[in-house]
Amino acid sequence: MHLTIGATEEGCDSLGTRYVVYVVHLEGFLFCKVRYSQLHRWNEKLRRYFGSKCVPSFPPKSFLAQTESMAEERRLQLQSYLQTVAEDPVISVSEIFTTLLQNAQQETFKIHPQVIVLEILLADRNKLLIDTHTYDSAERMLSIAAQKIELSRQFLDYIALYLVREDTNGGYTVLRKLNAFELPYVGLWSMQNENSRIMIRKSYLDPMKDRMLLGITAGVLLLYSQAKYELERDWVKPTPNQYRKLKASQEAGKKREFLELMEEVKFYGYQHFEACICDYPEPNCPTSVRVGNNEINCCIQLPSNHIKEASFKVNRIRCWRISVQIPLQEEIGLKLSFEYQDSQDLWQWVTIYTHQAFLLGSCLKEISTEKPKLAGNHAEMQFDCKPKSWNAQSTLSKHIGTVPGKQCREVTRKDEASVFEYIADDQL
């Protein structure tokens, strides 16, 4: 869970008193707007519940008129506080913290509580209608949807709700996976985009986990809806012989056989990303990205218009970081950079500019979690929040995920905004 304070706004109460409103984004998307006093009350509640030693220090109140630099420093301090709390493995999943987030989401968008019928898409764009409530959490809605398709609760860990955007070409783009505490209906409303939808999909990248769902009818139907769509959209690359067998299985209605055949198809089980830009092997190269099978696979269009396929193995990535561009008026810009050891054992940074950077980062984190032995050379995932432009000197770096191995520290040089050195645990 990655919380950022991307900007501030000015508010005014009924008495005409002006105050600062902090705009909080969750994984790159608007989540809520809060005042300093609200965050201060959050902090007091968390300290009473968990104890002062378990909760990070909170930026103190200021009784002086704030300059622009002081206001920016306050924003960064509050962002650092939120990020640290959100990373805590105990606090971040506690009912008291998730309730605070839910209340902030409700107060921001002021959605009236009411019973609704919510449309949830399957991966093949078929629709599932569930009876729910505007303030039901993603966890609750997922449980209702699973019950609707007769999927036992014991398999809920293998599926999740995702925020997606329907595209004009009849497809869709996965934006991010919803956290269990989020309010999907409120989240949809906050997008203010009629093409935004909630979708139910499998929640993992390892195709071997399909076998846990292949033994039940509901599991087969969910997997088949996703696999069929991936084949139709050319997200997977079967050989001519594999394609013939797959189509024969489809025509015969043999869904389980179809899924077993798909396990052998190239790129099956990968997360597919929208067209984006990368700086490898040259700057500003259009690329399509897939993540799965312990790799980042990039299909890159070179300046010569030739296509180059590059495979970056996760076990050769030392660390990665997500950077957020906070402009004054435009949409937030995102990029993910990772340090990679090439075939000549040389280290280089590769950057992918994509609005799906947080989804890409979560995929890398999942691979590292599912395959811990592959992650032995990782250092950490870093988070950078850069105001106004990518080259801004004012930079906040914050850990949002740690894997065994080395650790990173940030050092500043005159010619760069930030670089990273690596030190062993025993050197700290």
Side-chain angles (χ1 to χ4, degrees), residues 1 46 55-56 80-89 91-92 97:
M1 178 167 51
L46 293 176
V55 180
S80 178
Y81 171 83
L82 282 179
Q83 289 174 349
T84 303
V85 171
E87 292 164 15
D88 188 283
I91 298 177
S92 62
F97 181 62

Side-chain angles (χ1 to χ4, degrees), residues 165-335:
R165 185 192 65 235
E166 291 186 314
D167 300 328
T168 55
N169 62 5
Y172 59 82
T173 298
V174 177
L175 301 178
R176 65 184 183 88
K177 181 162 67 174
L178 295 177
N179 293 280
F181 68 85
E182 289 186 68
L183 310 177
Y185 181 82
V186 180
L188 275 180
W189 193 91
S190 70
M191 293 287 291
Q192 294 292 296
N193 186 329
E194 61 181 13
N195 295 320
S196 298
R197 296 287 187 273
I198 301 296
M199 178 177 287
I200 185 170
R201 296 164 51 88
K202 62 184 182 182
S203 61
Y204 53 86
L205 291 174
D206 186 355
M208 293 297 101
K209 290 187 176 182
D210 281 1
R211 298 176 184 179
M212 299 298 295
L213 296 175
L214 284 175
I216 53 175
T217 301
V220 170
L221 291 176
L222 277 175
L223 293 176
Y224 180 74
S225 70
Q226 190 165 334
K228 181 178 70 170
Y229 179 84
E230 291 178 6
L231 182 64
E232 292 171 353
R233 306 299 295 188
D234 292 327
W235 287 7
V236 294
K237 300 298 179 183
T239 64
N241 186 47
Q242 287 175 328
Y243 185 79
R244 285 193 295 271
K245 291 181 178 179
L246 287 168
K247 296 306 289 184
S249 296
Q250 272 189 297
E251 292 169 2
K254 298 179 179 179
K255 295 181 175 62
R256 187 174 284 104
E257 179 182 289
F258 176 87
L259 291 168
E260 291 171 348
L261 290 170
M262 282 290 281
E263 288 183 4
E264 305 298 323
V265 175
K266 186 177 182 181
F267 299 138
Y268 175 64
Y270 282 54
Q271 176 62 60
H272 184 89
F273 292 81
E274 203 170 47
C276 54
I277 300 294
C278 75
D279 66 356
Y280 177 89
E282 299 180 43
N284 301 316
C285 289
T287 184
S288 59
V289 177
R290 306 177 182 89
V291 178
N293 194 28
N294 310 312
E295 69 165 339
I296 302 175
N297 182 277
C298 296
C299 190
I300 304 166
Q301 181 180 337
L302 302 175
S304 62
N305 287 329
H306 289 92
I307 301 299
K308 173 184 176 66
E309 183 175 329
S311 174
F312 300 99
K313 299 299 182 182
V314 174
N315 65 321
R316 299 183 73 87
I317 295 176
R318 179 154 57 180
C319 70
W320 65 90
R321 68 190 183 202
I322 294 171
S323 298
V324 179
Q325 179 191 30
I326 306 173
L328 294 177
Q329 299 294 336
E330 303 170 5
E331 294 183 358
I332 284 181
L334 297 170
K335 65 179 179 179

Side-chain angles (χ1 to χ4, degrees), residues 4-11 19-26 30-40 42 58-62 66-80 82 104 108-109:
T4 59
I5 298 179
T8 59
E9 298 176 355
E10 187 178 84
Y19 56 84
V20 176
V21 177
Y22 296 94
V23 183
V24 180
H25 286 79
L26 175 61
L30 175 62
F31 181 72
C32 67
K33 298 180 181 182
V34 293
R35 297 176 60 176
Y36 174 89
S37 57
Q38 289 176 271
L39 294 175
H40 187 272
W42 286 17
F58 190 79
K61 291 182 179 180
S62 175
Q66 290 194 338
T67 64
E68 183 176 342
S69 62
M70 292 171 63
E72 175 63 10
E73 182 180 4
R74 166 62 59 83
R75 182 188 71 83
L76 294 177
Q77 289 173 341
L78 290 172
Q79 177 175 253
S80 178
L82 282 179
T108 298
F109 301 106

